[in-house]
């Protein structure tokens, strides 16, 4: 295993450059864990609409009950009943909704009729729908009691309606804001990891392959009694070991940052996805390492391939913000499918076969890239051997 | 026989690099392959090592056909390439250990062999140095150490002294002779005829992909008609006397410049005496006298009609 050992000696001589990428990645991951906040609101905050309540009816129990209901669910602002003032109030958004109780409203209800409340609102305002629904809800409840109970006093009707409408169904948000933020952080961590892994693998693998492919050294190695097959096997083993080591170093901070989460199904999916991506990145690096002949071209290749694919695949900018053409181009890189899987995993709450299917399909696509690139590298190596 | 090459032909498109190339290397000798640049020395070595495919011919090492997968044969060969082939990322010790490790799997034995190779080439003080920190001469020594550490029976050195300072060159040549004394058979290619004359027990002269002469140093010189070159210091020489010198037996040419009379002659036992007698009869006082035997350059010149030096 002399070549295998030499592989790591060559790597260790270039460790400084590789460590820059690792340190930058870990630093960013740490910074992200402490500062990142999600873009959108995730929890519900109850908001009250400013309304004007005008009564043309008498001050009956029903009208008082309606006003009381509205006071609880909206802010009643005091604006006098003058057309110009009411229009100004709507224009300047002092009030978004005006409700007028017509004369004979209470009596009409008790008679079993369906008197209409007049309303005016700012056009296109979402508050209009909200307030309409609120008033309909009140009126429908009143009507339901009149229809079923018939002979009922005003006070009793108002009490029953108020009790009914105060009923609230407790709703627990499964995705709290914190959980959503954590999910996004983890997805971002693993998305960003693709860039670092890609860059480190290209630089590391290329460094070694360029050294071993130097014509003089290659010729010298061919003079030794070590079979070509064994020599190549040692180099392949070296590449695999290096890739696994890089992956371990990159995922290790995730265990420190996210602790127990990494042992959940979601955490495991992230790990499997990143491991499969590492295999694809290794194949591409191996191909590039066999194409490149100088170290000067190496850092250029690392930037173009790792950074370029990360940019167009949604590592730095969410995929939904990327244009369709960009996404089509990105789909020819494993990074795109890797990020896509991470985003799916991030949003998953239950792990059914149906839900996991796209994730596994994406993993297969990434593995397909790995096989294709490795095959290309093999063909290239064989062609060179034949031509020599 | 250690190496037997018969009728080797290697073509690069229209160029014939090796044209029915034949030679044999016997056990225990230092065999020199001498020829100008582009004569096919490195191509021949690459074919012998199965690094190049050839069009025709056979190559046998220790009586067995040489091929890319003749790993048993490769185990007995040490190769020192024309270009230094070491890892920039490995230090002196690690480089020698790497190449020795390709042949020797036993770690203890390998450590001992590596240390011996370091001492052999005199790199003890530089064992932790990386190749970039070594001078050209030291780098060549490292290249040699990488090739000989596993104590091969056959060592092939392809122009190991190119671009090396005189001190390192002497060191390398002495080392090659020591390796030979320790039992290794050496194949040494060079375009420096002085080196080949100095260390090789048998020499093959190459030109245009062919062996044009083979033999010991003396045998090669015996093949040609040229005798020694005589240089006599005189203060003044009239044209008539110079013509007289040219008319002496065996004299091929005679020139006079910078107070030096330079006479080239064919083989003859008394060329120097005859010249000095003639000058004495003409009352010419002589100063220093030099007599140089023919060189391999003269051999090359006589066989090919061109100077070996001109080709360098």
């Amino acid at each position: 295993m002399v070549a295998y050992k030499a592989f790591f000696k060559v790597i260790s001589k270039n460790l400084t450059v590789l460590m820059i990428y690792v340190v930058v990645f870990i630093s960013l991951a740490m910074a992200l864990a402490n500062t990142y906040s999600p873009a959108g609101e995730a929890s519900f905050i109850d908001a009250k609409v400013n309304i004007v309540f005008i009564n043309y009816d008498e001050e009956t129990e029903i009208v008082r009950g309606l006003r009381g209901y509205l006071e609880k669910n909206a802010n009643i602002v005091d604006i006098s009943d003058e057309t110009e003032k009411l229009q100004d109030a709507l224009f300047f958004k002092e009030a978004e909704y005006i409700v007028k109780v017509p004369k004979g409203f209470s009596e009409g209800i008790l008679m079993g009729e369906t008197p209409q409340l007049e309303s005016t609102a700012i056009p296109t305002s979402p508050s209009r729908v909200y307030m309409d629904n609120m008033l309909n809800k009140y009126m429908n409840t009143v009507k339901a009691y009149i229809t079923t109970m018939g002979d009922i006093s005003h006070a009793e009707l108002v009490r029953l309606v108020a009790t009914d409408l105060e009923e609230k169904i407790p709703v627990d948000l499964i995705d709290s804001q914190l959980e959503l933020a954590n999910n996004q952080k983890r997805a971002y961590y693993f998305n960003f990891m693709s860039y670092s892994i890609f860059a480190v693998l290209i630089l590391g693998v290329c460094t070694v392959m360029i050294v071993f492919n130097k014509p003089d050294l290659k010729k010298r190695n061919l003079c030794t009694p070590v079979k070509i097959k064994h020599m190549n096997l040692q180099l392949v083993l070296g590449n695999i070991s290096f890739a696994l080591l890089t992956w371990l170093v990159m995922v290790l901070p995730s265990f420190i940052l996210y602790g127990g989460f990494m042992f959940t199904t979601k955490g495991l999916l992230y790990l499997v996805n990143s491991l499969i991506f590492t295999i694809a990145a290794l194949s591409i690096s191996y191909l590039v390492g066999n194409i490149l002949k100088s170290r000067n071209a190496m850092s250029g290749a690392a930037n173009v391939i790792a950074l370029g694919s990360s940019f167009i695949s949604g590592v730095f900018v969410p995929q939904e913000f990327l244009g369709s053409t960009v996404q089509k181009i990105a789909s020819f890189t494993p990074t795109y499918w890797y990020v896509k899987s991470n985003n799916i995993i991030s949003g998953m709450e239950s792990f059914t076969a149906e839900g996991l299917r796209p994730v596994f399909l994406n993993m297969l696509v990434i593995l397909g890239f790995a096989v294709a690139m490795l095959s290309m590298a093999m063909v290239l190596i064989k062609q060179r051997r034949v031509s020599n | 026989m250690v190496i037997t090459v018969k009728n080797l032909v290697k073509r690069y498109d229209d160029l014939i690099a090796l044209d029915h190339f034949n030679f044999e290397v016997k056990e225990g000798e230092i065999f020199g392959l001498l020829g100008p640049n582009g004569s096919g020395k490195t191509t021949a070595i690459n074919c012998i090592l199965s690094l190049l495919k050839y069009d025709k011919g056979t190559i046998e090492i220790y009586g067995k056909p040489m091929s890319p997968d003749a790993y048993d044969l490769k185990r007995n060969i040490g190769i020192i390439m024309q270009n230094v082939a070491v890892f920039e990322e490995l230090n002196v010790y690690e480089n020698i250990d790497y190449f020795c490790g390709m042949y020797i799997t036993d770690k203890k034995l390998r450590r001992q062999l590596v240390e011996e190779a370091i001492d052999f080439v005199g790199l003890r003080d530089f064992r932790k140095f990386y190749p970039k920190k070594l001078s050209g001469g030291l780098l060549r020594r490292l290249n040699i150490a990488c090739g000989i550490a596993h104590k091969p029976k056959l060592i092939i050195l392809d122009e190991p002294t190119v671009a090396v300072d005189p001190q390192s060159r002497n060191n390398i040549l002495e080392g090659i002779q020591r390796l030979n004394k320790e039992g290794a058979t050496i194949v040494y290619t060079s375009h420096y005829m002085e080196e080949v004359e100095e260390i090789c027990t048998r020499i093959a002269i190459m030109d245009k992909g062919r062996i044009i002469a083979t033999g010991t140093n003396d045998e090669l010189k015996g093949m040609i008609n040229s005798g020694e070159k005589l240089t006599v210091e005189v203060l003044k020489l009239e044209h008539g006397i110079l013509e007289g010198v040219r008319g002496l037996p065996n004299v091929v040419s005679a020139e006079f410049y910078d107070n030096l009379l330079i006479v080239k002659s064919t083989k003859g036992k008394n060329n120097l005496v005859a010249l000095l007698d003639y000058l004495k009869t003409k009352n010419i006082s002589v100063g220093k006298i030099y007599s140089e035997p023919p060189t391999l350059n003269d051999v090359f010149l006589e066989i090919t009609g061109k100077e070996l030096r001109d080709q360098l």
Side-chain angles (χ1 to χ4, degrees), chain A residues 5-281:
Chain A
K5 282 181 191 166
F7 182 102
F8 282 97
K9 280 178 184 165
V10 174
I11 287 278
S12 66
K13 199 77 176 106
N14 294 279
L15 206 59
T16 320
V17 181
L18 301 177
M19 283 311 288
I20 289 171
Y21 284 88
V22 177
V23 169
V24 166
F25 167 68
I26 293 173
S27 310
L28 276 173
M30 294 287 204
L32 182 78
N34 295 320
T35 58
Y36 184 81
S37 62
E41 290 291 341
S43 62
F44 172 74
I45 298 166
D46 194 10
K48 288 182 176 178
V49 180
N50 289 344
I51 63 166
V52 178
F53 185 84
I54 298 166
N55 182 23
Y56 295 126
D57 199 9
E58 289 166 26
E59 276 297 306
T60 61
E61 285 285 341
I62 291 175
V63 171
R64 276 199 293 274
L66 175 63
R67 187 188 286 119
Y69 170 68
L70 289 174
E71 272 172 349
K72 276 183 188 167
N73 296 290
N75 295 324
I76 296 178
V77 290
D78 188 23
I79 292 169
S80 61
D81 183 15
E82 292 169 47
T83 307
E84 199 175 325
K85 282 189 176 172
L86 289 172
Q87 282 173 345
D88 282 352
L90 287 176
F91 184 80
F92 293 111
K93 292 191 178 167
E94 283 175 69
E96 291 179 68
Y97 196 87
I98 299 164
V99 57
K100 290 178 181 172
V101 181
K103 199 169 172 59
F105 173 76
S106 306
E107 202 180 324
I109 283 177
L110 288 175
M111 298 289 286
E113 292 166 6
T114 314
Q116 293 296 311
L117 288 166
E118 290 172 30
S119 66
T120 314
I122 298 172
T124 72
S125 166
S127 306
R128 180 192 193 120
V129 180
Y130 176 65
M131 287 308 299
D132 283 349
N133 282 339
M134 198 185 286
L135 289 173
N136 285 342
K137 194 172 158 189
Y138 188 86
M139 295 304 292
N140 287 338
T141 312
V142 169
K143 198 175 176 184
Y145 275 107
I146 298 285
T147 313
T148 51
M149 298 180 77
D151 192 19
I152 185 170
S153 69
H154 281 201
E156 184 64 6
L157 176 66
V158 169
R159 190 186 63 78
L160 286 170
V161 169
T163 311
D164 277 4
L165 292 177
E166 270 175 15
E167 279 290 321
K168 279 184 179 160
I169 301 161
V171 176
D172 288 329
L173 282 175
I174 297 170
D175 256 347
S176 68
Q177 182 147 356
L178 182 68
E179 182 56 23
L180 191 81
N182 282 339
N183 257 341
Q184 293 190 359
K185 276 181 200 172
R186 289 162 200 149
Y188 189 82
Y189 175 95
F190 280 95
N191 283 349
F192 187 64
M193 197 170 94
S194 69
Y195 165 63
S196 304
I197 279 191
F198 222 151
V200 170
L201 285 187
I202 289 176
L203 288 175
V205 173
C206 286
T207 301
V208 179
M209 295 318 292
I210 286 170
V211 168
F212 275 89
N213 283 333
K214 272 184 192 168
D216 291 330
L217 263 179
K218 204 169 184 176
K219 265 164 73 174
R220 183 66 187 81
N221 281 328
L222 286 172
C223 293
T224 65
V226 177
K227 291 179 181 172
I228 302 170
K229 207 190 289 175
H230 288 177
M231 174 72 90
N232 287 339
L233 191 70
Q234 286 184 48
L235 291 180
V236 167
L237 271 177
N239 279 317
I240 292 171
S241 307
F242 173 63
L244 282 177
L245 204 68
T246 306
W247 177 75
L248 278 174
V249 170
M250 294 288 188
V251 297
L252 197 67
S254 70
F255 284 90
I256 297 162
L257 291 169
Y258 308 128
F261 167 81
M262 293 313 296
F263 298 98
T264 63
T265 313
K266 224 178 206 185
L268 193 71
L269 281 170
Y270 277 130
L271 291 177
V272 172
N273 194 33
S274 62
L275 182 62
I276 288 173
F277 175 78
T278 305
I279 296 168

Side-chain angles (χ1 to χ4, degrees), chain A residues 307-329:
Chain A
L307 202 59
S309 66
S310 297
F311 265 121
I312 62 170
S313 298
V315 170
F316 305 119
V317 179
Q319 275 185 346
E320 56 266 29
F321 294 160
L322 298 170
S324 60
T325 315
V326 175
Q327 288 200 36
K328 267 180 198 161
I329 296 166

Side-chain angles (χ1 to χ4, degrees), chain B residues 21 46 54 97 104 118 122 125 135-136 144 206 246 256 261 294 303 310:
Chain B
F21 181 84
N46 284 341
Y54 43 90
D97 185 56
I104 310 288
I118 287 173
D125 295 338
S135 67
I144 291 171
M206 278 189 81
R246 283 175 183 153
F256 178 72
L261 170 64
I303 297 173
D310 292 344

Side-chain angles (χ1 to χ4, degrees), chain B residues 51-107:
Chain B
L51 294 173
L52 269 181
K53 283 181 182 169
Y54 43 90
D55 301 288
K56 205 177 151 188
T58 57
I59 297 168
E60 286 184 358
I61 294 180
Y62 291 108
K64 291 178 184 171
M66 183 61 179
S67 64
D69 51 3
Y71 298 108
D72 285 344
L73 290 178
K74 287 181 178 179
R75 198 169 290 283
N76 294 316
I77 304 172
I79 172 75
I80 290 105
M81 297 278 191
Q82 186 173 358
N83 296 329
V84 176
V86 294
F87 289 89
E88 295 288 334
E89 294 78 6
L90 270 57
N91 64 29
V92 165
Y93 183 92
E94 289 167 341
N95 262 302
I96 303 170
D97 185 56
Y98 171 84
F99 287 108
C100 189
M102 291 287 188
Y103 302 81
I104 310 288
T105 47
D106 183 281
K107 278 186 184 173

